[in-house]
Amino acid sequence: NFMLTQPHSVSESPGKTVTISCTRSSGSIASNYVQWYQQRPGSSPTTVIYEDNQRPSGVPDRFSGSIDSSSNSASLTISGLKTEDEADYYCQSYDSSIVVFGGGTKLTVL
Amino acid sequence: EVQLVESGGGLVQPGGSLRLSCAASGFTFSSYAMHWVRQAPGKGLEYVSAISSNGGSTYYANSVKGRFTISRDNSKNTLYLQMGSLRAEDMAVYYCARDQGVVPAAIDYWGQGTLVTVSS
């Protein structure tokens, strides 16, 4: 099966924009939808992006998702950073109903 | 409101068994695939197992294949994970999660998790 690789950590200041990448090791990133989950300390994960770029109701439009076939990667972009965005973020995709998670990225807002 | 409530976690000795349950409410349980995902202390999310909406297809991570069994009772709106031959590396918070569709692909809702501790 394939792997999803994320940077271990990123940091940015409040009000700025940050992008977290998720690179698929084999097979096309466009073949299967990518989801993004946010996990704040001590809490369960929640979905912030599904089907590459769709936001669930209640997720602010500061969160956006995209895919780039040239780099075979997906990206989560958070604009207008707030301290409450500090969390771990995981990308996820699948192939033949086998679910694969990225290793997670710790976002620090300082 | 979608609710997923896990139970059954606890302390178990290496080599022992445990059955986790996940009570679902707020949606038509039989219309959605379901997942178990775990998180070891201080580590990332790890896919464990998934099951299609009608229970006809099941999927397992290589790390648990042959030791864990996923099942569901659509009449009781409940998902299960029977865990056997438990090892220290199975110690984690186990999350029940709902898929968006009838076959496993993408999670939309997560439970609060139940902690499994494997220790003598």
Side-chain angles (χ1 to χ4, degrees):
Chain A
N1 226 316
F2 64 93
M3 295 172 53
L4 296 172
T5 300
Q6 301 179 232
H8 181 70
S9 63
V10 295
S11 61
E12 191 49 271
S13 303
K16 300 292 190 179
T17 296
V18 70
T19 296
I20 299 171
S21 63
C22 171
T23 302
R24 180 165 171 159
S25 62
S26 61
S28 172
I29 192 72
S31 296
N32 309 99
Y33 286 127
V34 175
Q35 285 59 238
W36 290 90
Y37 307 110
Q38 177 193 66
Q39 186 178 33
R40 294 189 173 111
S43 297
S44 304
T46 61
T47 304
V48 292
I49 294 289
Y50 67 97
E51 292 181 357
D52 296 342
N53 55 18
Q54 302 299 302
R55 276 188 315 275
S57 59
V59 174
D61 60 5
R62 301 185 297 106
F63 289 79
S64 63
S66 63
I67 63 168
D68 180 358
S69 295
S70 64
S71 59
N72 213 36
S73 64
S75 294
L76 172 68
T77 298
I78 310 171
S79 60
L81 275 170
K82 300 183 177 184
T83 55
E84 68 202 47
D85 298 331
E86 187 161 289
D88 294 325
Y89 291 86
Y90 296 88
C91 61
Q92 176 262 312
S93 192
Y94 57 93
D95 188 10
S96 301
S97 292
I98 299 299
V99 167
V100 177
F101 288 98
T105 299
K106 181 176 180 60
L107 169 62
T108 302
V109 181
L110 36 66
Chain B
E1 179 194 4
V2 172
Q3 287 201 332
L4 302 168
V5 180
E6 301 94 335
S7 61
L11 174 63
V12 61
Q13 293 186 339
S17 299
L18 209 57
R19 188 176 85 155
L20 306 183
S21 300
C22 171
S25 61
F27 64 101
T28 303
F29 182 69
S30 59
S31 295
Y32 295 88
M34 297 293 294
H35 302 258
W36 287 102
V37 178
R38 69 185 180 185
Q39 187 170 37
K43 302 297 185 182
L45 301 175
E46 179 188 11
Y47 160 73
V48 174
S49 184
I51 188 167
S52 60
S53 60
N54 65 4
S57 297
T58 56
Y59 310 85
Y60 298 94
N62 288 335
S63 57
V64 307
K65 201 172 293 184
R67 299 187 299 121
F68 291 11
T69 301
I70 191 172
S71 62
R72 64 191 296 160
D73 186 336
N74 285 346
S75 67
K76 295 183 178 179
N77 293 343
T78 303
L79 176 72
Y80 302 100
L81 185 68
Q82 180 68 48
M83 304 186 295
S85 302
L86 282 161
R87 307 166 180 168
E89 54 264 36
D90 295 318
M91 185 163 69
V93 173
Y94 283 73
Y95 294 103
C96 163
R98 191 188 83 166
D99 199 277
Q100 295 179 40
V102 297
V103 293
I107 290 167
D108 57 4
Y109 288 95
W110 300 72
Q112 87 288 349
T114 187
L115 176 63
V116 172
T117 302
V118 183
S119 175
S120 55

